[in-house]
Amino acid sequence: MVKIAEIEAALGRIKTTIHRTPILTNSTVDSLAGRQLFFKAENLQKTGSFKARGALNAVSKLGDEISAVCCDSSGNHGQALSWAAKSVGKTCHVAVPKGAPMVKVAAIENYGGLVHFCEPNDAGREAKRNELVEKYGAKMIHPSQDFDVIVGQGTIGLELIEQFEEQPLDAIIIPVGGGGLISGIATALRASWPEVKIIAAEPVEVDDCAVSMEKGDLVVTEKNDTVCDGVRTNVGKNTWPMIKELVDEVITVDDISVAKAWKLIMERMKTVAEPTGALALAVALSRSFNESYPRDQFPRVGVILCGGNLDLSVVPQMLKLADC
Amino acid sequence: MVKIAEIEAALGRIKTTIHRTPILTNSTVDSLAGRQLFFKAENLQKTGSFKARGALNAVSKLGDEISAVCCDSSGNHGQALSWAAKSVGKTCHVAVPKGAPMVKVAAIENYGGLVHFCEPNDAGREAKRNELVEKYGAKMIHPSQDFDVIVGQGTIGLELIEQFEEQPLDAIIIPVGGGGLISGIATALRASWPEVKIIAAEPVEVDDCAVSMEKGDLVVTEKNDTVCDGVRTNVGKNTWPMIKELVDEVITVDDISVAKAWKLIMERMKTVAEPTGALALAVALSRSFNESYPRDQFPRVGVILCGGNLDLSVVPQMLKLADC
């Protein structure tokens, strides 16, 4: 479990380097939702996703005796950690599975990260991680289970409390993959907004968090077949206790709903979202959400738009799904 | 020629309905440009383009005796005029060539416009326009040559003067098609910023404005083969005198440069641009611009991001061009 005071300290640590991202609204989307939606635009965050917050907090806490960090994420965490390490004068080593898209490799290198290719399987990744730790003395920074990372993501919650100082939100919808984002935000929000409903948004194709909540116990699945590449992972043992305690409900949506929500964001809001960035909006527009949280009782809902690192080559696939 | 006082009156008329669009900046794009670029985000304007300004100003000036307007634009002007007419309680008839993309037809209808299909050629469009004027008593509102439209687009210039009150821009790059946008902005800016360099951005594939400037006389061409569908038109007789007097230079760029600039806007700035929306950035990054306007003498440059109505189905074509 993380403490609100740690999140407050993290915000003090990182706020001059990260963006205080804006709240976006759109009248067309509101009329479709039948209520007011407030988008926390983490797609406009440094490195294009909220991951910059946690990564920067984690590297900022390291002492001078540690000169390098590492991870095995070729996605947003890998980019964010590369950027964060560079900004504090440390080196970042990233294990990348052979065959990963060159655009991701280029992004990591662009932010100053050093790419190390590994076999594209769990054993290969683990071996490479261990090698990076041993060979370079690099500290492994886990994308969702590292407590300093969780605390960093929680700074979004503190910003929301400031941005909605006059009137708190009635509910907030937050994507869940490993659970770092939602654990951090939920911890920050609960302290100031005891009444807010905190909803986890998860692809039905990778529904480990929903299954875990139903069983009341952490369940691990092998499922990863979703367009939401940012959440193709299980909730972990560090984040699960916080999710179990602080999250009101997990609502799942299918890829078609995500693609339709993504198209709305692109066409109506004119802001660039990656597929996972549309997950929370898809939940806001879902029948499940509307049945559980009626519009008249929950008129003001926050939606975390978690990332904008859209691989433009997936646009045709998203359009095809959206037209289903 | 339009007068600054008319533009000021237009801003008073429309400012409670349109958005005062923000100025976007991006450090990565700045480092590529070698100077500070300030994007006037008209992609975030009502209806997704600057056309909302001119259309709203034009319909707002009509008396009660005129209950309908018409145009033959199936693009941004058709959408903007439909929206503007509805907002003042009038009807908008739009002549649309048979075979136009259904997404455009849907957009016009979505804003409340009435679609009338015509033969997809100049004669068919003209015949339909005349029919709409006669049958419905509709006033034709030209997308670029109507003086009230030009005056409305000029309100962007007044906003820029306010937004850069502390320090004027050194230069500004504005797309040119029919010339309404650049005529309006140039008129507004020249009054307050006598020193600013005003550059027209034009696709080399449709370079009528560049040819006209070189000859010192209005030249009409048949060229329209560019991805920048917003400027597939010639400068007209009402806008040409203003362009000739107020614009310092026309710089042309090819579709490949536009596609590369478009990709930068999408990937780095995370804001949605249509192809024409990237035209001014393509010029800012061009060798011609950098030779004529050295970075040290012109460190602060405005870029008009004119529209965000991206047809997502053109993304693969844009990527293919960008990778050339």
Side-chain angles (χ1 to χ4, degrees):
Chain A
M1 309 290 273
V2 299
K3 296 198 177 66
I4 183 82
E6 294 171 316
I7 302 176
E8 285 163 354
L11 187 56
R13 203 174 285 129
I14 68 178
K15 73 179 173 190
T16 55
T17 310
I18 60 155
H19 290 309
R20 186 181 196 262
T21 52
I23 303 296
L24 306 181
T25 60
N26 184 275
S27 56
T28 306
V29 176
D30 282 358
S31 50
L32 286 167
R35 57 182 125 207
Q36 277 187 288
L37 300 184
F38 300 91
F39 293 79
K40 180 66 171 164
E42 287 292 300
N43 60 324
L44 305 180
Q45 187 50 268
K46 294 271 179 184
T47 77
S49 85
F50 70 93
K51 297 279 188 184
R53 296 174 184 266
L56 185 60
N57 188 51
V59 299
S60 299
K61 289 187 71 180
L62 299 175
D64 289 343
E65 73 283 5
I66 297 175
S67 64
V69 291
C70 69
C71 67
D72 74 353
S73 156
S74 57
N76 287 343
H77 178 64
Q79 294 178 40
L81 194 63
S82 298
W83 166 83
K86 190 177 179 187
S87 78
V88 298
K90 298 191 191 293
T91 308
C92 179
H93 300 275
V94 186
V96 173
K98 287 175 189 167
M102 283 313 292
V103 60
K104 293 198 170 188
V105 173
I108 291 165
E109 291 178 337
N110 189 45
Y111 286 117
L114 301 174
V115 169
H116 304 265
F117 288 103
C118 64
E119 293 303 317
N121 52 46
D122 284 353
R125 291 161 76 125
E126 195 184 337
K128 185 57 77 179
R129 272 201 313 265
N130 293 339
E131 183 191 319
L132 296 176
V133 170
E134 284 166 30
K135 191 163 170 186
Y136 302 103
K139 180 170 193 298
M140 167 75 186
I141 308 287
H142 192 279
S144 66
Q145 302 307 303
D146 183 292
F147 282 112
D148 293 319
V149 167
I150 298 169
V151 162
Q153 323 304 28
T155 57
I156 294 172
L158 297 184
E159 287 182 18
L160 286 170
I161 292 164
E162 283 176 21
Q163 289 172 310
F164 293 93
E165 194 180 19
E166 294 186 7
Q167 190 182 356
L169 296 168
D170 301 309
I172 183 155
I173 307 172
I174 309 169
V176 66
L181 176 66
I182 195 167
S183 300
I185 297 178
T187 303
L189 287 184
R190 269 287 172 258
S192 297
W193 296 351
E195 308 275 299
V196 69
K197 296 292 179 189
I198 299 177
I199 317 299
E202 191 175 42
V204 72
E205 295 87 354
V206 186
D207 64 350
D208 63 287
C209 188
V211 174
S212 296
M213 284 289 263
E214 205 181 322
K215 298 207 173 174
D217 212 354
L218 184 60
V219 172
V220 172
T221 72
E222 296 291 310
K223 301 180 190 173
N224 70 358
D225 184 22
T226 170
V227 291
C228 299
D229 55 344
V231 292
R232 282 181 196 145
T233 180
N234 284 278
V235 168
K237 65 176 174 36
N238 290 356
T239 50
W240 168 243
M242 291 184 264
I243 291 171
K244 189 177 174 187
E245 182 181 323
L246 300 169
V247 172
D248 290 284
E249 189 178 350
V250 184
I251 294 179
T252 58
V253 284
D254 62 18
D255 278 0
I256 291 172
S257 307
V258 170
K260 286 182 196 294
W262 171 83
K263 202 175 164 196
L264 266 179
I265 293 173
M266 297 287 289
E267 290 188 344
R268 292 296 174 164
M269 298 179 63
K270 313 290 183 195
T271 197
V272 174
E274 59 191 81
T276 316
L279 185 55
L281 174 58
V283 166
L285 299 173
S286 71
R287 178 180 291 192
S288 302
F289 180 73
N290 281 286
E291 284 176 359
S292 298
Y293 306 93
R295 292 161 176 179
D296 53 343
Q297 289 171 48
F298 301 88
R300 302 170 77 250
V301 173
V303 171
I304 305 291
L305 204 176
C306 57
N309 290 325
L310 175 67
D311 176 352
L312 288 164
S313 69
V314 307
V315 168
Q317 181 195 354
M318 293 298 283
L319 289 181
K320 204 170 163 187
L321 274 169
D323 290 341
C324 280
Chain B
M1 308 290 273
V2 299
K3 295 197 178 66
I4 183 82
E6 294 172 315
I7 302 176
E8 284 163 355
L11 187 57
R13 201 174 284 129
I14 68 177
K15 73 178 173 190
T16 57
T17 310
I18 59 155
H19 290 307
R20 185 181 195 264
T21 51
I23 303 296
L24 306 181
T25 59
N26 184 275
S27 56
T28 306
V29 176
D30 282 358
S31 50
L32 286 167
R35 57 182 125 205
Q36 278 187 288
L37 300 184
F38 300 92
F39 293 80
K40 180 67 171 164
E42 287 292 300
N43 59 325
L44 305 179
Q45 187 51 268
K46 294 271 181 184
T47 77
S49 84
F50 71 92
K51 296 278 187 183
R53 297 174 183 264
L56 185 61
N57 187 51
V59 299
S60 299
K61 288 187 72 178
L62 298 174
D64 290 343
E65 73 283 5
I66 297 173
S67 65
V69 292
C70 69
C71 67
D72 74 354
S73 157
S74 57
N76 287 344
H77 178 64
Q79 295 178 39
L81 195 63
S82 299
W83 166 84
K86 191 178 179 187
S87 77
V88 298
K90 299 189 192 293
T91 308
C92 178
H93 300 274
V94 185
V96 173
K98 287 176 189 166
M102 284 313 291
V103 61
K104 293 199 169 188
V105 173
I108 290 166
E109 291 178 338
N110 188 47
Y111 287 117
L114 300 173
V115 168
H116 303 265
F117 288 102
C118 64
E119 294 303 318
N121 52 47
D122 284 353
R125 290 162 74 124
E126 193 182 339
K128 184 58 76 177
R129 273 202 313 265
N130 292 338
E131 183 192 318
L132 296 175
V133 170
E134 283 167 28
K135 193 165 168 185
Y136 303 102
K139 181 171 193 299
M140 168 76 185
I141 307 286
H142 192 279
S144 65
Q145 301 308 303
D146 183 293
F147 281 112
D148 292 321
V149 167
I150 297 169
V151 162
Q153 322 304 29
T155 59
I156 294 171
L158 297 184
E159 287 182 18
L160 286 171
I161 291 163
E162 283 176 22
Q163 289 170 312
F164 293 92
E165 195 180 17
E166 293 185 10
Q167 192 182 356
L169 296 168
D170 301 309
I172 183 158
I173 307 172
I174 310 169
V176 65
L181 176 66
I182 195 168
S183 299
I185 297 178
T187 302
L189 287 185
R190 269 287 172 258
S192 296
W193 293 352
E195 308 275 298
V196 68
K197 295 293 178 188
I198 300 177
I199 317 298
E202 192 175 41
V204 71
E205 295 88 352
V206 186
D207 63 348
D208 62 287
C209 188
V211 174
S212 297
M213 285 288 263
E214 204 180 324
K215 296 207 175 175
D217 212 354
L218 184 60
V219 171
V220 172
T221 73
E222 296 291 311
K223 301 179 191 173
N224 69 358
D225 183 23
T226 169
V227 290
C228 299
D229 55 344
V231 292
R232 281 182 197 144
T233 179
N234 284 280
V235 168
K237 65 178 173 34
N238 290 355
T239 49
W240 167 244
M242 290 183 267
I243 291 171
K244 189 176 173 187
E245 181 181 324
L246 299 170
V247 171
D248 290 284
E249 187 176 352
V250 184
I251 295 179
T252 58
V253 284
D254 63 20
D255 278 0
I256 291 171
S257 307
V258 170
K260 287 181 195 293
W262 170 84
K263 203 175 163 197
L264 266 179
I265 293 173
M266 297 287 290
E267 290 188 343
R268 292 296 175 165
M269 299 179 63
K270 312 292 183 194
T271 197
V272 175
E274 57 190 85
T276 316
L279 185 55
L281 174 58
V283 166
L285 298 173
S286 70
R287 176 180 293 193
S288 300
F289 180 72
N290 281 288
E291 286 177 356
S292 297
Y293 307 94
R295 292 159 176 181
D296 53 342
Q297 290 172 48
F298 301 89
R300 303 169 78 249
V301 172
V303 171
I304 305 292
L305 204 175
C306 57
N309 291 323
L310 175 66
D311 177 353
L312 288 164
S313 69
V314 308
V315 168
Q317 182 195 353
M318 293 298 283
L319 289 181
K320 203 170 164 188
L321 273 169
D323 290 341
C324 280

